[in-house]
Amino acid sequence: MKTVSLAEHTVRELNQMLHDQARQLTEPEWLITDPDGRHAIAAGLDQELAITIEGHAGYYCAGMNQRATVTVEGTVGVGVAENMMSGLVRVRGDASQSAGATGHGGLLVIEGNASARCGISMKGIDIVVGGNVGHMSAFMGQAGRLVICGDAGEALGDSLYECRIYVRGTVKSPGADCVEKEMRVEHREELARLLQQAGLDADPASFRRYGSARQLYNFKVDNADAY
Amino acid sequence: MSERDRQAGLRESATFDRQTIQEIQRAAATGIYDIRGFGAKRRVPHFDDLLFLGASMSRYPLEGYREKCATDVVLGDLHAGRPLHLEIPVTIAGMSFGALSAQAKEALGRGASEVGTSTTTGDGGMTDEERGQSRQLVYQYLPSRYGMNPDHLRMADAVELVLGQGAKPGGGGMLLGQKISDRVAAMRTLPKGVDQRSACRHPDWTGPDDLAIKIEELREITDWQKPIYVKIGATRTYYDVKLAVKAGADVVVLDGMQGGTAATQEVFIEHVGIPTLAAIPQAVQALQEMGMHRRVQLVVSGGIRNGADVAKAMALGADAVGIGTAALIALGCNHPRWEEDYARIGSAAGFYDDYHEGRDPAGISTQDPELAARLDPVAGGRRLANFLRVMTMEAQTIARACGKSHLHNLEPEDLVAITIEASAMARVPLAGTDWIPGRGGPGF
């Protein structure tokens, strides 16, 4: 395992070392120490690396991740794993706003709580949150699954497209065009797989499913009050 | 008013003219606002209201057909390892695949590459056609992030972080269901036939402090090699430019209210934003006060139609310009060749603006395979290259007449205005005076 201290190296130096691995894989395992909330740590990876960040990370940690497995042993700032394409990002602590924003693929696991707009504009990523999520989570979610083991804040799934949301706790309010839907067998099986992948112990039968009512997909004057 | 109306004693209201009455009737009948493409059609102070002071006794002109007048420009050399080197200062503005056909995107790439300039992706991501045919391709990074792919980010020659556009500053994109083909739907990860109303705010940052961190992330992902543009719609331009530069932009793209769109509410197009002419001096002032004029390049778009507009924008302080609507017209949009087809859909050559309907007879703003096949990308690309060459030669003609050996040497001192409004906005004197409204001076 290669260890890089961000007290001794800049983020630029670290990321260049990690990006170089996309051309030639020589170090599959990395330990990043002294992150101290720095931004864009391990952003833009495109290799099957296993990276552990020992501490708290700032904005856009593991942004646009492809193939790598990144574990943060702390909390993360805005936009962790934003626009992730593939791979696995795990946050042991809490996450700030816009976690997994616009992600196209891969799995983001937040073992603690996630703040507002978790999974905003998600496009295929799977996000599993061990705790609660803030308001406007899965806003305009297009595809993928958002699993919330705790409670959801206001306007959950506002302007939702085809993203599926599973909630175990309470929902303060669903957003425009977001409705509770029947939890069928295939949904419980899907949820069980996601929880297993995330390594979180929760009974799929205790969750409810939310999705789009698909009433706002095309403009109708009778829906004007919803806009 | 026509002569027949006058003779009949009919008097049209200036407030409730026929167009206004028609719009009220249309709104009452349909219950929906009017949506269209193109750009603002109202008359606003524009480059036509400026004139150049050609050389005479006190200035020394260059020989029109002999002496060199250079046109090249470098964009993004402040921070990026690989800035763009363009042979002409006229770029192709961002337009999406989805709004435009794949053939149109390819034609734009072909035309731009032939004359050594760049083209730009749009909402919906990068297509193979445009990457394949664009020697220098700017990748737009938009609030919707439709089709956003880090591989494409790395394949691009520059990244344009879009905050807004001149036709609808404060608004997101719009692509109605009739233009969502299987390919467009797949690229945007949305069901076919859904009206796509793109986000107007970026999902993972708010405000200029966050923008600086977002730019840092994009630089990290691209290993600090790609120039980062920031595109703004012209509104509070002075402040927006300062904030964009402070956040770390290499290039500011400023789009005035005459800038085009594929689909937006008419009320938005005509009533939000400020004219290009009014925005440029604000942007230049902001850059100059920060000591960044010419270091952070300014690309101006919104109603650029010919070489005179190019020269005037550059004389006011732009480093380059962008064209969208004019480029589509060069490809064949609104061409009389399709007059019968325009009439069939209730429009006419020279007036067609219903880009959102996807029924473009010229095959440009459509996803209908039969219509799209009407545009030959090779022939279209050639027409665009011709047009870009003409624009460049026209700008050179004016620059030489003003004694400039490079288009970048044009300056506000070369210009006068022929209306008080244009003089105040462009901050150049009213012709025949040394008076600039709002700038003091002795007056007439």
Side-chain angles (χ1 to χ4, degrees), chain B residues 57-218:
Chain B
M57 192 73 83
S58 62
R59 299 289 186 277
Y60 199 68
L62 300 185
E63 292 293 345
Y65 295 99
R66 295 181 184 82
E67 289 183 276
K68 180 77 176 170
C69 178
T71 63
D72 61 303
V73 59
V74 176
L75 299 177
D77 57 344
L78 185 63
H79 298 294
R82 289 202 297 268
L84 265 65
H85 292 255
L86 306 182
E87 291 172 35
I88 64 171
V90 186
T91 66
I92 305 301
M95 290 174 275
S96 76
F97 167 67
L100 302 187
S101 65
Q103 289 90 333
K105 290 297 288 179
E106 180 182 340
L108 292 172
R110 285 178 178 276
S113 298
E114 190 172 325
V115 298
T117 191
S118 61
T119 185
T120 311
T121 66
D123 216 357
M126 181 189 289
T127 66
D128 292 341
E129 290 93 334
E130 65 184 338
R131 177 62 281 186
Q133 296 302 331
S134 301
R135 202 178 306 155
Q136 299 190 87
L137 180 61
V138 181
Y139 187 48
Q140 282 198 331
Y141 187 73
L142 294 118
S144 75
R145 313 276 168 87
Y146 288 146
M148 171 60 217
N149 186 322
D151 290 336
H152 292 162
L153 200 69
R154 288 184 279 260
M155 286 164 61
D157 299 292
V159 180
E160 183 171 293
L161 208 158
V162 179
L163 273 69
Q165 68 181 93
K168 46 183 165 183
M174 181 183 284
L175 191 69
L176 300 186
Q178 54 265 42
K179 291 179 76 171
I180 312 299
S181 65
D182 288 331
R183 185 180 178 194
V184 172
M187 281 181 69
R188 299 179 183 220
T189 325
L190 282 170
K192 192 177 176 184
V194 168
D195 293 341
Q196 295 186 4
R197 284 160 287 180
S198 309
C200 60
R201 298 189 303 268
H202 280 266
D204 56 356
W205 62 270
T206 48
D209 293 334
D210 281 7
L211 174 59
I213 303 171
K214 172 53 70 175
I215 289 175
E216 179 186 336
E217 183 207 13
L218 293 172

Side-chain angles (χ1 to χ4, degrees), chain B residues 50-61 312 315 397-404 410-418 428-434:
Chain B
L50 302 182
L51 295 172
F52 277 102
L53 300 174
S56 57
M57 192 73 83
S58 62
R59 299 289 186 277
Y60 199 68
K312 288 169 186 174
T397 299
I398 289 171
R400 286 192 184 98
C402 294
K404 312 297 187 186
L410 288 163
E411 54 195 319
E413 196 270 338
D414 293 315
L415 291 168
V416 293
I418 56 173
V428 299
L430 192 67
T433 79
D434 58 1

Side-chain angles (χ1 to χ4, degrees), chain A residues 142-187:
Chain A
Q142 296 172 223
R145 284 80 55 98
L146 172 61
V147 179
I148 304 159
C149 295
D151 302 330
E154 293 173 327
L156 176 71
D158 193 278
S159 305
L160 200 62
Y161 290 104
E162 294 295 305
C163 166
R164 281 203 287 275
I165 305 172
Y166 298 101
V167 187
R168 185 165 64 169
T170 61
V171 174
K172 193 158 190 184
S173 64
D177 215 25
C178 177
V179 293
E180 185 176 346
K181 293 187 167 182
E182 182 190 359
M183 191 79 170
R184 297 193 297 270
V185 173
E186 68 263 32
H187 300 121

Side-chain angles (χ1 to χ4, degrees), chain A residues 88-92 107-112 127-130 147 149 168 190-203 207:
Chain A
L88 168 65
V89 175
R90 180 181 295 278
V91 180
R92 299 282 187 204
L107 175 64
L108 168 62
V109 181
I110 298 163
E111 296 186 1
I127 304 175
V128 180
V129 181
V147 179
C149 295
R168 185 165 64 169
E190 173 182 83
L191 178 56
R193 282 195 299 274
L194 287 166
L195 289 166
Q196 186 184 27
Q197 288 169 20
L200 293 178
D201 184 23
D203 179 7
F207 285 74

Side-chain angles (χ1 to χ4, degrees), chain A residues 90-159:
Chain A
R90 180 181 295 278
V91 180
R92 299 282 187 204
D94 298 329
S96 185
Q97 298 183 57
S98 303
T102 79
H104 285 70
L107 175 64
L108 168 62
V109 181
I110 298 163
E111 296 186 1
N113 302 304
S115 184
R117 291 177 276 275
C118 176
I120 183 171
S121 288
M122 51 194 287
K123 302 177 196 313
I125 188 175
D126 290 325
I127 304 175
V128 180
V129 181
N132 306 323
V133 299
H135 64 270
M136 300 291 276
S137 287
F139 176 56
M140 294 180 90
Q142 296 172 223
R145 284 80 55 98
L146 172 61
V147 179
I148 304 159
C149 295
D151 302 330
E154 293 173 327
L156 176 71
D158 193 278
S159 305

